[in-house]
């Protein structure tokens, strides 16, 4: 019988599950996107001036949306529906958006 490598049992509970940060390499471009957008003072630029309302569901921060658009631009993803799909399946996007997943609308 051949000797093959075996993967992890998907049903096995881990005592210390790995964090999302462990999956994203230190030299990954999403870290550059994150630090670049965080270094921009968006209120001083005057692009995002809305403070948000007190009614309804809270809005997503404009910096988060800018990070998503920059990631899409760098990876040739122009469709908002494809960006939404990446948010749910791509570990880099999960790390970049801190687990938030805005819809395409």
């Amino acid at each position: 019988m051949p000797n093959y490598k075996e993967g992890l049992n998907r049903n096995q509970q881990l005592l210390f599950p790995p964090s999302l940060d462990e999956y994203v390499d230190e030299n990954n471009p999403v870290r550059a996107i994150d630090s670049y957008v965080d270094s921009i003072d968006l209120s001083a630029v005057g692009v995002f001036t809305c403070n948000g309302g007190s009614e309804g569901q809270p809005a997503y921060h404009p910096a988060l949306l800018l990070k998503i658009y920059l990631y899409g631009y760098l990876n040739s993803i122009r469709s908002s529906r494809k960006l939404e799909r990446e948010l749910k399946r791509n570990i880099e996007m999960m790390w970049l958006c801190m687990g938030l997943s805005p819809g395409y609308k």
Side-chain angles (χ1 to χ4, degrees):
M1 184 142 160
N3 188 15
Y4 295 117
K5 292 183 181 183
E6 293 186 24
L8 295 174
N9 182 354
R10 292 183 184 122
N11 298 321
Q12 176 73 32
Q13 291 290 326
L14 298 174
L15 183 60
F16 296 111
S19 67
L20 223 55
D21 197 49
E22 293 176 22
Y23 288 121
V24 178
D25 191 26
E26 289 295 323
N27 296 325
N28 197 310
V30 293
R31 291 188 185 269
I33 294 170
D34 187 53
S35 62
Y36 173 71
V37 172
D38 288 343
S39 69
I40 300 173
D41 185 12
L42 296 176
S43 60
V45 175
V47 176
F48 304 110
T49 57
C50 179
N51 292 331
S54 61
E55 300 152 0
Q57 188 175 5
Y60 291 105
H61 196 278
L64 172 73
L65 301 176
L66 181 59
K67 290 176 186 180
I68 293 170
Y69 292 136
L70 285 174
Y71 180 88
Y73 180 77
L74 290 175
N75 291 288
S76 301
I77 304 171
R78 291 185 174 81
S79 167
S80 58
R81 292 176 193 240
K82 288 182 182 178
L83 283 172
E84 180 185 11
R85 190 176 333 137
E86 289 294 311
L87 283 165
K88 294 179 181 169
R89 69 177 192 90
N90 190 330
I91 292 178
E92 292 176 349
M93 287 289 277
M94 289 178 199
W95 180 89
L96 185 63
C97 298
M98 298 177 288
L100 296 173
S101 58
Y104 69 90
K105 295 177 184 176

